[in-house]
Amino acid sequence: MSRLFRGGNNEPGVSGRALPAAGGPTAVGSYAGSMVRDAQPPSQERRRGASLGLPAEGPGSLAGFGTRVLAFLVDAFLSAVVAGFFTAPDLPGNWSLLSLAVVYVVFLVAIGQTPGMRLLGLRLAHPRPASRLAPWRAVVRTGLLFLLVPTLVVDADGRGLHDRLTDTAVVRDR
């Protein structure tokens, strides 16, 4: 048996004894005696978008996951229809992915929202709202969106990895 498991996962010089109850006396040299306790317990209700300086509700607040997925599905359907015009009478297959990528990059750079986002009242917020989204941000964001996994890795605000890496956020427009 290794020394690490025998002695527990304590720091050197800290005993493996149980910690005393909160408010109780602490033994000299115990780990609990060196901890600083908060005066008040942290709030369990953190407002979405607070770390970004966004409002809790209304225009400018972070869009919900369901609304964002619905906007994506609208965009995917429209892109499949557009690709279908070029591949008719055959089904578009992977050409719809190319069409979707072009729609995402062009619309995000040009007007800051895709057709699906516009239909559902969403837009893409970025660090310089008075200017257009940088093309590299649109390309990287779209590429990560297509990988799917980065969109499912979300932070406390509900922003996906593709938004965090490009410093963007999908917010309500109305």
Side-chain angles (χ1 to χ4, degrees):
M1 189 165 24
S2 76
R3 189 174 147 227
L4 180 67
F5 291 111
R6 247 188 328 216
N9 286 336
N10 296 323
E11 296 175 4
V14 177
S15 70
R17 291 176 293 188
L19 298 176
T26 59
V28 177
S30 73
Y31 188 69
S34 65
M35 290 177 46
V36 177
R37 291 191 173 92
D38 293 333
Q40 296 176 344
S43 173
Q44 297 300 317
E45 293 184 27
R46 185 172 171 266
R47 185 176 59 83
R48 289 183 73 227
S51 63
L52 302 170
L54 298 174
E57 294 294 324
S61 64
L62 283 174
F65 183 75
T67 310
R68 291 171 32 205
V69 168
L70 190 57
F72 175 80
L73 292 175
V74 168
D75 291 330
F77 176 75
L78 292 175
S79 296
V81 169
V82 168
F85 286 134
F86 293 101
T87 62
D90 297 327
L91 292 176
N94 288 334
W95 289 105
S96 59
L97 291 175
L98 177 64
S99 174
L100 183 62
V102 169
V103 164
Y104 259 77
V105 171
V106 168
F107 276 90
L108 289 178
V109 170
I111 62 173
Q113 57 190 171
T114 64
M117 288 178 176
R118 183 154 186 112
L119 181 69
L120 294 169
L122 306 176
R123 67 179 166 81
L124 192 67
H126 57 92
R128 296 177 17 198
S131 64
R132 291 184 175 174
L133 181 70
W136 75 266
R137 289 184 197 271
V139 169
V140 169
R141 186 180 186 281
T142 302
L144 290 171
L145 181 70
F146 278 27
L147 292 176
L148 189 63
V149 172
T151 61
L152 300 176
V153 177
V154 296
D155 61 9
D157 289 316
R159 287 182 2 174
L161 185 60
H162 64 299
D163 281 328
R164 286 184 287 167
L165 290 176
T166 58
D167 204 19
T168 59
V170 179
V171 297
R172 294 183 181 126
D173 199 25
R174 54 180 180 229

